Amino acid sequence: MSILITRPNPAGQALAQRLNNAGKKAFQAPLIEIAAGRELPLLETKLNKLRSGDCLFLLSKNAVSYANWQLNQLQQSWPDTLFYYGIGPSTASKFQSLSGITVSYPEQGETSEDLLTLPALHQVQNKRILLLRGNGGRDLLATVLRQRGAIVDECECYQRLFIDYSSETFSAQWENAQIDTLVVTSGEMLQQLFELVTKPKKAWLLHCHLIVVSERLATIAEALGWKNITVADSANNDALFRALI
């Protein structure tokens, strides 16, 4: 098995190193890089609009890292009068370790759909909700919360920037490396990977065993032409490592 990991650093690098240490043959080619979000300077203002009992959603570890950095620069602390929700256990744990504040999160899964099943989020009429997120991505969470009567605002705390690879070089390099297993952790990156690989190499790409992090991604992959797809039980490196050994 030769594995290509496409998730951004530092998580992608950490997973590749862990797999190599375990005797696997793993390479890394991140499809995106992470940078500060364009709305990060607005975070303090957006937080100040929230009242006691309102909700703040942490939608990734990157959002947590950049938002916490921004508040530290301003010598501000996280309000302790809000209800905090994390997209999954790893994001919640990261925030709790930085802030000391308890975070609610779904016990199973790390998707918007999983988060929306929490009983408390069915009673959000007239509550103000701030979503800390990256650029792009899905609007499902904001849409459903508004349908349930919440007043939703968003803050782009980080942005995902596509790395500009040469299609020909990328395709040839990884086919020649005999890559037969791919790790892709978002729909955005899955589409980018499919478009990046040149047409003559598409058969190699679609023949690879694809590891994804949700059934939604598996459905997208099937539509693109992949047949051999495994859904890891979470989006964190521990779950991806288990899916690969």
Side-chain angles (χ1 to χ4, degrees):
M1 179 191 296
S2 292
I3 306 162
L4 183 64
I5 296 159
T6 66
R7 78 180 318 175
N9 289 323
Q13 190 173 41
L15 180 58
Q17 185 63 55
R18 185 173 173 184
L19 287 164
N20 284 317
N21 290 345
K24 300 294 183 181
K25 190 176 181 181
F27 302 88
Q28 189 200 7
L31 294 175
I32 62 173
E33 58 185 353
I34 306 299
R38 292 164 292 191
E39 295 182 331
L40 196 57
L42 303 177
L43 176 61
E44 183 183 26
T45 300
K46 289 175 178 286
L47 279 175
N48 288 338
K49 292 180 180 179
L50 300 177
R51 304 174 299 230
S52 177
D54 285 340
C55 306
L56 191 141
F57 282 61
L58 312 155
L59 300 185
S60 77
K61 290 191 288 186
N62 287 318
V64 169
S65 296
Y66 278 99
N68 193 69
W69 177 87
Q70 178 70 10
L71 291 189
N72 284 343
Q73 299 306 301
L74 300 171
Q75 298 184 320
Q76 300 290 324
S77 56
W78 292 97
D80 60 6
T81 57
L82 306 175
F83 292 104
Y84 288 81
Y85 294 91
I87 194 71
S90 57
T91 298
S93 176
K94 184 175 183 67
F95 182 79
Q96 288 174 181
S97 69
L98 291 171
S99 68
I101 295 173
T102 300
V103 181
S104 299
Y105 58 89
E107 293 297 328
Q108 300 293 327
E110 296 185 58
T111 68
S112 296
E113 289 87 347
D114 299 317
L115 187 53
L116 287 164
T117 64
L118 293 178
L121 297 184
H122 289 269
Q123 306 294 328
V124 292
Q125 184 78 27
N126 297 323
K127 283 188 178 292
R128 292 183 181 273
I129 292 176
L130 178 60
L131 309 179
L132 304 189
R133 57 175 296 170
N135 63 315
R138 305 168 69 203
D139 292 322
L140 176 69
L141 193 57
T143 298
V144 172
L145 290 170
R146 288 188 179 112
Q147 289 171 351
R148 294 177 182 178
I151 303 162
V152 180
D153 193 10
E154 302 176 64
C155 185
E156 181 195 293
C157 294
Y158 71 99
Q159 54 183 321
R160 297 174 288 261
L161 305 173
F162 286 117
I163 296 174
D164 187 20
Y165 291 106
S166 158
S167 291
E168 290 76 13
T169 301
F170 184 95
S171 304
Q173 177 182 358
W174 299 119
E175 186 187 35
N176 291 341
Q178 299 183 316
I179 294 297
D180 57 16
T181 304
L182 303 165
V183 177
V184 183
T185 54
S186 79
E188 241 179 357
M189 287 190 286
L190 185 62
Q191 190 67 46
Q192 175 74 357
L193 177 64
F194 182 78
E195 293 173 2
L196 180 60
V197 171
T198 57
K199 189 172 182 180
K201 306 295 186 183
K202 281 286 197 293
W204 155 72
L205 180 73
L206 295 174
H207 187 69
C208 288
H209 180 198
L210 182 66
I211 310 295
V212 296
V213 297
S214 71
E215 293 293 344
R216 183 182 69 86
L217 284 189
T219 299
I220 295 171
E222 287 173 356
L224 289 171
W226 269 281
K227 303 296 184 186
N228 187 8
I229 304 167
T230 295
V231 180
D233 56 23
S234 180
N236 60 51
N237 276 356
D238 287 343
L240 289 169
F241 182 79
R242 290 194 297 271
L244 289 160
I245 59 172

